[in-house]
Amino acid sequence: MTLFRSRPLLKLVLQYQPAALLPAATKIHTSALLQAWKPEDHEPQKFLEYNKKIYPPQSPDEAPRPAFVCHQRSNIKYSPWKMWYIACLVRGMTVDEAIKQLKFVLMKGAKDVRETIEEARDLAVKEHNVEFASNLWVAESFVGKGHVVKGIRRHGRARFGRVEYFHCHYFVRLEEGKPPKHYYQHHPKEPHQQLEDWLQQMRKRKITNSI
Amino acid sequence: MAGSLLIRINVAIQRLELAIASVFTRRFPPDGFCLAGVDVQERLHQKPAFSLKDIVGDGFVWAVPTARRTIERRMKRRFGHPDYIWKMLKPKTNLRTCNVCGDDHLPGVLCPTCYKKVIEETKVMQDAIQQELQLSPVEKEVVVLYEGEKDGKPEEFFEGKRIVEIPKPRPAWFSKNLLQQTTQQPATTSDVKPSDLG
């Protein structure tokens, strides 16, 4: 087990390269700095890695890959199980519609979700080569459990209960283009499709042991 | 030295034989120690398996689930039921858009962004009136004028009225029609020259 974490130390050394080369460098011993607890080191990192992926160029006959942006907000002071309902509302909507609907949701987490989607929209236009800010739809919207602060509270008759203060992470992925008609695969079928399926079933019937 | 070693080996072998025999027979007392003529108690009933319940009593297994929650119960808890209480959020289809500012609002409500502007302007007018009149009783009609409105009117227009001036231009959405008094007498003739329209 090393006392130093090598990757952040390397980053720090590369940052302060000229100073580190000086004989009277005071920034060589940085273990106290590295071991200090930083909130940004404990946030989820994997979702934002999708933004950094560089795709190979497409051939002309391939369908164009739509631009997307992944964004998150960490450690929102709200229960993840309650936030899940807000995340589910927004799935499959255009960003404008999502922001409009979230303004009329009377829940505490709706404010954070709306702000996250607005930030994601701005990032998409600035950094991810999206032409029109309104041409985006919510492809993924989900919640994760964050920090939990635990405590005790006293009930009557010297009984004690456990108190948990939950935080949640909200993740959203916006994609360019028009949203699909049905977000989930398990959706009710159109009447003409239902008729076709019924006809197919009727034609598939066979009298047993017949030719 | 060799003798004691042999004795020790013998003793060890005897113990080993006893142990093997006790595994198969499990009688108490073991075979080698039975007295002639004394009944041997067969251990027919195995002692009940030891569990923590014997020490702690039933208190150890309080407040713990005994059965798995079925998928139906889990889904009922998360989603509710469409005929009773549907827990999932439904998007609102009855939102209206304000024609003036473009923001959305619920039906039956004035556009909140426009109304906020009205509230702020009202506050400015009220502060100006309070500053002008202070604690004197209100006996005459009070007229609020914005920048540049006092000069256009003759002096007799303001006879019997108290003027309150606000040092900023009139907002574009504030037409003079809005300050029509409710205690006005109804008109006697139908040909009325429109004045003070804005």
Side-chain angles (χ1 to χ4, degrees):
Chain A
M1 195 179 84
T2 49
L3 285 167
F4 295 82
R5 272 187 270 160
S6 54
R7 231 185 296 150
L9 173 60
L10 197 73
K11 253 194 257 173
L12 215 70
V13 167
L14 290 170
Q15 252 179 23
Y16 295 113
Q17 224 163 31
L21 292 169
L22 284 170
T26 50
K27 289 169 185 150
I28 288 173
H29 183 77
T30 52
S31 65
L33 197 88
L34 291 170
Q35 283 165 29
W37 193 94
K38 282 178 220 127
E40 49 265 21
D41 293 339
H42 294 259
E43 286 171 6
Q45 319 280 355
K46 288 192 269 191
F47 192 59
L48 297 175
E49 299 289 316
Y50 287 114
N51 281 333
K52 297 177 193 163
K53 172 156 183 179
I54 297 169
Y55 292 87
Q58 288 184 293
S59 57
D61 40 302
E62 261 183 84
R65 190 183 293 111
F68 69 89
V69 61
C70 294
H71 192 50
Q72 70 185 46
R73 187 177 274 206
S74 313
N75 289 319
I76 304 163
K77 180 62 201 72
Y78 198 50
S79 160
W81 299 278
K82 293 177 194 168
M83 188 66 118
W84 178 75
Y85 289 102
I86 305 167
C88 286
L89 170 74
V90 160
R91 279 174 199 163
M93 284 186 181
T94 49
V95 266
D96 295 336
E97 181 67 25
I99 290 165
K100 181 172 116 173
Q101 289 293 333
L102 286 168
K103 281 188 189 160
F104 298 97
V105 172
L106 303 175
M107 290 169 89
K108 185 165 115 174
K111 180 168 165 260
D112 288 279
V113 171
R114 181 160 63 87
E115 284 168 9
T116 314
I117 293 176
E118 283 168 351
E119 281 171 16
R121 183 180 56 178
D122 297 334
L123 272 177
V125 172
K126 262 193 228 169
E127 295 173 20
H128 291 87
N129 195 29
V130 167
E131 199 180 348
F132 303 112
S134 292
N135 197 25
L136 290 161
W137 64 281
V138 179
E140 282 177 39
S141 158
F142 55 94
V143 184
K145 186 170 79 165
H147 260 310
V148 182
V149 179
K150 287 171 244 240
I152 330 170
R153 70 149 285 194
R154 190 194 181 276
H155 287 269
R157 306 229 176 193
R159 298 270 155 87
F160 288 91
R162 187 180 171 149
V163 186
E164 286 168 321
Y165 298 95
F166 287 100
H167 295 77
C168 61
H169 309 305
Y170 176 66
F171 304 90
V172 69
R173 184 167 74 88
L174 301 179
E175 228 177 68
E176 200 179 12
K178 276 210 168 123
K181 271 211 188 82
H182 297 283
Y183 183 77
Y184 297 104
Q185 284 191 357
H186 188 66
H187 59 264
K189 290 187 187 145
E190 299 288 312
H192 71 268
Q193 187 64 40
Q194 283 185 31
L195 177 67
E196 274 175 35
D197 291 343
W198 179 81
L199 279 174
Q200 218 179 22
Q201 276 190 358
M202 290 290 121
R203 282 168 191 157
K204 231 169 43 174
R205 290 178 300 177
K206 184 186 177 242
I207 300 165
T208 41
N209 291 326
S210 74
I211 304 158
Chain B
M1 189 194 63
S4 66
L5 184 69
L6 272 173
I7 290 165
R8 289 231 296 272
I9 289 169
N10 271 323
V11 166
I13 291 168
Q14 277 173 31
R15 280 198 184 142
L16 180 68
E17 276 180 20
L18 216 77
I20 292 168
S22 71
V23 161
F24 289 111
T25 55
R26 282 238 186 270
R27 250 178 264 129
F28 184 78
D31 286 349
F33 298 91
C34 289
L35 289 174
V38 177
D39 282 333
V40 162
Q41 287 174 11
E42 287 275 359
R43 262 204 252 163
L44 288 167
H45 312 286
Q46 286 292 327
K47 256 205 321 204
F50 173 74
S51 75
L52 279 170
K53 254 191 180 180
D54 300 334
I55 302 173
V56 191
D58 272 335
F60 191 81
V61 289
W62 278 344
V64 132
T66 53
R68 185 196 167 144
R69 283 164 148 179
T70 55
I71 188 67
E72 293 91 359
R73 280 188 180 277
R74 280 182 266 154
M75 292 180 85
K76 186 88 196 284
R77 186 179 62 250
R78 281 171 200 156
F79 301 104
H81 195 279
D83 297 343
Y84 304 113
I85 294 172
W86 186 238
K87 285 184 139 191
M88 298 298 282
L89 293 171
K90 284 188 260 195
K92 287 197 161 75
T93 51
N94 62 347
L95 299 171
R96 310 292 154 89
T97 318
C98 175
N99 287 328
V100 175
C101 62
D103 287 348
D104 305 286
H105 61 93
L106 289 164
V109 159
L110 292 174
C111 169
T113 34
C114 296
Y115 190 47
K116 226 173 254 169
K117 279 191 225 159
V118 173
I119 293 168
E120 281 166 21
E121 194 59 39
T122 314
K123 188 146 194 319
V124 166
M125 284 171 73
Q126 284 172 339
D127 289 339
I129 292 169
Q130 270 182 7
Q131 217 175 18
E132 177 76 27
L133 303 181
Q134 273 153 26
L135 295 170
S136 60
V138 183
E139 279 155 5
K140 295 182 192 169
E141 187 196 326
V142 177
V143 168
V144 176
L145 294 171
Y146 284 91
E147 214 171 46
E149 283 173 14
K150 197 176 175 197
D151 307 325
K153 300 279 193 320
E155 266 201 49
E156 46 210 35
F157 192 80
F158 297 119
E159 220 174 302
K161 297 181 188 173
R162 287 213 63 174
I163 303 161
V164 176
E165 288 204 66
I166 299 176
K168 67 173 204 156
R170 180 176 277 269
W173 50 265
F174 193 177
S175 81
K176 290 179 199 156
N177 294 343
L178 292 171
L179 287 175
Q180 223 176 39
Q181 288 198 333
T182 50
T183 49
Q184 255 180 0
Q185 297 300 317
T188 44
T189 55
S190 57
D191 14 283
V192 175
K193 216 173 165 186
S195 64
D196 260 359
L197 289 175

